[in-house]
Amino acid sequence: MLEPVESRSVSPVFVGRAAELEILNDALARAAAGEPQALVIGGEAGVGKTRLVEEFATAAGQAAVVALGGCVEIGADGLPFAPFSTALRSLRRELPGELAAAAAGQEEELARLLPELGETVPTRGADRSDEEGMARLFELTARLLERVAAGRTVVVALEDLHWADASTRHLLAYLFRTLRTGRLVVLATYRSDDIHRRHPLRPLLAELDRLRTVRRIELGRFSRAEVGRQIAGILATEPDPVQVDEIFERSDGNAFFVEELAVAAHEGSCTGLTDSLRDLLLVRVESLPDSAQRVARTVAEGGSTVEYRLLAAVAQLAEDDLIEALRAAVGANILIAAPGDDSYRFRHSLVREAVGDDLLPGERSRLNRRYAEALESDPTLVPAGERVMRLASYWYHAHDPAKALPAVLDASVTARRRHAHSEQLRLLERAMELWDTAPEDIRATLRPVDYAEAYPPCGCDPDTTPLRYLDLMAEAAVAGRLCGERERALKITKRALHLLEDEGDPMRAAWFWVQRSRLTQALARGDGWKELGTAQELVRGLPPSEVHAEVLATAANWSMLRAPGPDAMSAAERAVEYARMVGAEDIELNARLTLGGLMVDAGHIGAGLAQMYEVKDEVLTRGITTVVGRSHVNLPSALEGIGRSQDAVDILREGLRLTQEWGLRDSEAWIWTNLAESLVSLGRWDEAADAAVNAQRTGQSAKPRGGASNSLAHLALARGEVAEAARHLAAARASYGTHDPMPQNNLPMSCLALGTAAAEGRLVDARAEADRVLDAGFPPGTHRYAWPLLLAAAVAESDARAQSLPTAEEGRAAFLQRLFEAVRTLTTGAPLWLAYEKWTRAELDRADGRTATVTWSDVVTAFEALERPYDLARVRHRLAEALLAVGGDDERARATELLRLTRAAATHLDARPLVDATTHLAERARLALTTAPPPADPAHSLGLTTRERDVLRLVSAGRTNRQIAEELFISPKTASVHVSNILGKLGVSGRGEAAAVAHRTGMFAAETLTSGT
């Protein structure tokens, strides 16, 4: 039945693509050396993307494990995470032990992508979603791939991104952004001619263009010579040049159309027979027997791949007839057997699209109905992980609202449990579309509310009451917020509030107003307080409920960040009380964290910290991932605010371990940011800079990046890099934006702006910045940010007087008086705040021409009890200056010792302005600060920084980059950069030579080195 040419319509000879294969092979070689690679191949339909990937995969398979995954299309719907599930399943077959070890401890979470790893809990509320759920899944997936690829090269190829669901696109983008270790190649293909202006893949492609780590390959069409070689391979003989010319002109070099035209010409068809190439494809299908055509039409509507048993149930042919029809379609190269599966698919999606487009409207809906009915009758016809989603798609495209509404609602639950919130939102929007057309008796038997956070479902019993339309909108609003589709979520929220206007339902209205507040803030359209105020008014006087507790907790947290005070404290206390009464665990824990922070800010430090420590311990004991991030961000922030920086660092490091283990990337970014701030305070500036860079690389939220930029600006300013400080300050402002001002963001930025202006001699601008802040006033509880700002203003005035700046005199007295008045309004309830008060007053006295040694001695004593080496060095410099102004041998001797200590600390920190000021003061006073020099550190003579010395010590001990990163709390990428810099400075080519230099120079003679594992 099959002629030889039909079995070879695909050329056995791989034609062209030498440059593209070279790029792919280079990526494979780089990956084998430990540098993960990301590539995207684009090209029009039929140009040869799949053939290129197959050739590369075959060759790569000799030295690597190759896992292929394709985006599955059902009608116009893509299955969530389908290509990743397929690829992971392939890895599990090839590397069962390695995959199991890599997934150890996270099987339940990763089972959302690969159900074979474990079972997720299906009960309502047991698998609650949260803001970081999808990010957590993405991080765990990235870590899984990195671990599997740690010991061998792995290629993950994902095809047909133009069909990808939103969750797949988001996960792929995440991998491309974050993969930094492992012998891994991630390769994706897409059909470029399908990417119209509004195609959902377009934003991802634009993002990938901005990533320097992603290589884009655009496949072009074949040249005439390549078309000739392709036809020769298909025909197994040298073709007629005239025929090659005709086929090349007609196909325009598209590889798939060359194949089709070559077959048609060999069978005697004229290459100009049809008006379009699409018609040519249909002519080949129409030449099949009727039963084979019927099967082809059935497969076209079933999805990218259709299982044999499902096809048999839908085609309604006798088994022998079905097999003969399939044999005819396969023999004609219209259908092919899917590899490794008992299913069939079209040889090329262009053929499937041509056949599908030729279906009549009634024929299309009838086929979808048959698929749905067959699947309902026998759920085992398709893989269990696909059944619910495919059934929803079949019923929806069958245009049967009574069947489609329950099916899409069930599918939305499946999507949510997989953290595929984009698909969940799409399905819920379909349910809203179907709602009015579905019969009332069907709506009366729908599933109950699945998950909508604290929203109170309509009806008496949320576990049994059928879903109502308002409940559906609540689920959709939450799904939209979680997947980042905030515009759609806001529209749904506004529609719900419009429906509630005349309902007299304050509880549900309050819940939607809270959603509207969150979305308004996230969309940068305001601070959300107006919406929260409306929610508070709606619940005022109502009995305790989860919604009431959430409203109060949200309002208290809002106020803690923007306007802390008695009202915020009261709201937090009531939120804790109400949450306990109704058993809302997450709300209670978050409200207690807020309450503890407000208590610390109000001066009730011991009680507030005790509250926050209790929450942290409860979260760890019970493994509550939804609160662990905040507990390890807010408590260290409170400790840092009162000067307990080392305690903060200890908790932050614990938080890093937990957030990295649980994949909480945004919380991890906040922890890196707070760690940078505390390390700055402790004088560990190189570590602080590394932490700030990690904060900027981690997570998706902008505000942690703003905090990191603040820390980098602070370091740059202290080191005399004023232009660099200004650049980081501008980056911080861009990250924070202007729509939602918070004192914890704005006051540090004002402090930096003031310091930068003073460093550049712009005293008028420095005063203007301080005046702007003083005009607004310091909100209650913001003294931790107010004290550094007042100090910076006082130092600017003090230095301006000492330097006799011409602009200093005018307005000085009035400005100093204003600063004195501001100082009197701030509390000094913590040792750090008291030290700041003494320092600020001393600087104001100096600015007014009064310098007393007893005053500065008191300031030095205050800072000697704190963990602030840079601040201590600065005030020691001031005390030395005051002592030298008094004169006397004892005073000069004491000043000399103070300046030696100051210069040593400033030199260690590389605080050049303070080094220069100390040297200048000693020279003016004719003090010799040098004694018999201690043995020089070989690291400094070799040009190594303090951090590079630490890295070289670990390199000499045999540590890998990953081990270095873990020990120094930096990323492996940063460790790699440090190692490269060390090799360059030492002029050596490898780690062994670097260790030899360290040994030869005696750099670590007094230290014990142990060999690495």
Side-chain angles (χ1 to χ4, degrees), residues 764-779:
V764 173
D765 292 340
R767 285 178 180 171
E769 184 67 29
D771 279 331
R772 186 183 63 78
V773 175
L774 293 173
D775 288 343
F778 296 117

Side-chain angles (χ1 to χ4, degrees), residues 447-461:
R447 65 161 173 80
V449 172
D450 170 46
Y451 177 72
E453 296 178 338
Y455 170 82
C458 300
C460 300
D461 185 354

Side-chain angles (χ1 to χ4, degrees), residues 469-543:
Y469 189 72
L470 200 63
D471 304 334
L472 176 57
M473 298 181 84
E475 287 187 12
V478 172
R481 197 185 78 243
L482 293 179
C483 74
E485 292 288 349
R486 300 184 182 99
E487 284 286 3
R488 289 157 68 185
L490 184 60
K491 288 180 181 178
I492 292 168
T493 300
K494 288 180 176 179
R495 282 170 48 205
L497 287 170
H498 180 71
L499 292 176
L500 283 163
E501 284 177 357
D502 301 321
E503 290 293 322
D505 192 344
M507 193 69 69
R508 292 178 183 82
W511 184 87
F512 276 107
W513 276 110
V514 170
Q515 300 306 306
R516 186 164 175 175
S517 171
R518 291 176 176 174
L519 293 165
T520 298
Q521 294 175 63
L523 289 166
R525 293 180 186 165
D527 59 14
W529 181 246
K530 178 182 176 183
E531 293 79 5
L532 273 180
T534 303
Q536 290 181 85
E537 286 299 319
L538 285 165
V539 298
R540 197 180 305 280
L542 294 179

Side-chain angles (χ1 to χ4, degrees), residues 570-855:
S570 174
E573 289 171 341
R574 286 189 294 141
V576 172
E577 178 187 359
Y578 284 18
R580 281 177 177 161
M581 292 173 67
V582 299
E585 179 183 71
D586 287 6
I587 296 175
E588 180 200 336
L589 291 170
N590 277 303
R592 286 169 59 193
L593 281 174
T594 299
L595 178 60
L598 288 167
M599 293 170 71
V600 171
D601 288 341
H604 309 303
I605 295 173
L609 290 178
Q611 181 84 254
M612 301 178 85
Y613 269 106
E614 286 176 8
V615 173
K616 180 184 78 73
D617 293 342
E618 285 184 41
V619 166
L620 291 180
T621 301
R622 293 150 68 183
I624 304 174
T625 59
T626 55
V627 190
V628 70
R630 190 163 180 251
S631 68
H632 284 74
V633 171
N634 286 26
L635 174 56
S637 177
L639 291 168
E640 172 63 27
I642 61 173
R644 291 171 53 180
S645 300
Q646 186 57 55
D647 291 342
V649 167
D650 293 341
I651 295 173
L652 288 164
R653 284 181 168 158
E654 178 183 62
L656 281 178
R657 178 181 62 79
L658 292 169
T659 54
Q660 289 170 354
E661 178 183 335
W662 292 344
L664 305 171
R665 293 285 286 185
D666 277 347
S667 293
E668 182 189 344
W670 278 111
I671 290 174
W672 280 119
T673 295
N674 286 1
L675 182 61
E677 182 184 7
S678 293
L679 290 171
V680 168
S681 298
L682 291 170
R684 292 152 63 175
W685 286 6
D686 288 344
E687 293 178 62
D690 287 340
V693 170
N694 283 333
Q696 293 176 330
R697 291 175 175 169
T698 307
Q700 305 301 311
S701 300
K703 288 185 178 178
R705 292 196 290 272
S709 295
N710 270 347
S711 291
L712 291 171
H714 183 99
L715 292 177
L717 192 59
R719 286 174 162 167
E721 301 164 352
V722 182
E724 186 73 0
R727 184 180 71 81
H728 288 305
L729 177 56
R733 284 175 170 153
S735 295
Y736 289 135
T738 59
H739 67 285
D740 187 13
M742 298 182 191
Q744 68 172 7
N745 303 334
N746 293 349
L747 290 178
M749 287 194 297
S750 291
C751 184
L752 285 166
L754 193 158
T756 302
E760 294 175 339
R762 297 183 286 109
L763 185 63
V764 173
D765 292 340
R767 285 178 180 171
E769 184 67 29
D771 279 331
R772 186 183 63 78
V773 175
L774 293 173
D775 288 343
F778 296 117
T782 58
H783 24 266
R784 64 175 291 186
Y785 309 111
W787 277 121
L789 188 142
L790 289 179
L791 174 64
V795 169
E797 292 296 324
S798 174
D799 287 343
R801 183 183 182 97
Q803 297 164 15
S804 301
L805 290 181
T807 56
E809 283 299 326
E810 184 178 355
R812 172 188 289 156
F815 184 67
L816 291 180
Q817 182 59 36
R818 192 170 194 200
L819 291 178
F820 269 120
E821 292 171 357
V823 166
R824 284 197 291 267
T825 65
L826 295 181
T827 184
T828 57
L832 176 62
W833 306 340
L834 181 60
Y836 270 132
E837 188 230 12
K838 292 179 177 181
W839 188 1
T840 306
R841 288 183 180 276
E843 293 287 358
L844 291 173
D845 285 347
R846 183 173 182 264
D848 205 26
R850 304 188 304 276
T851 301
T853 56
V854 65
T855 300

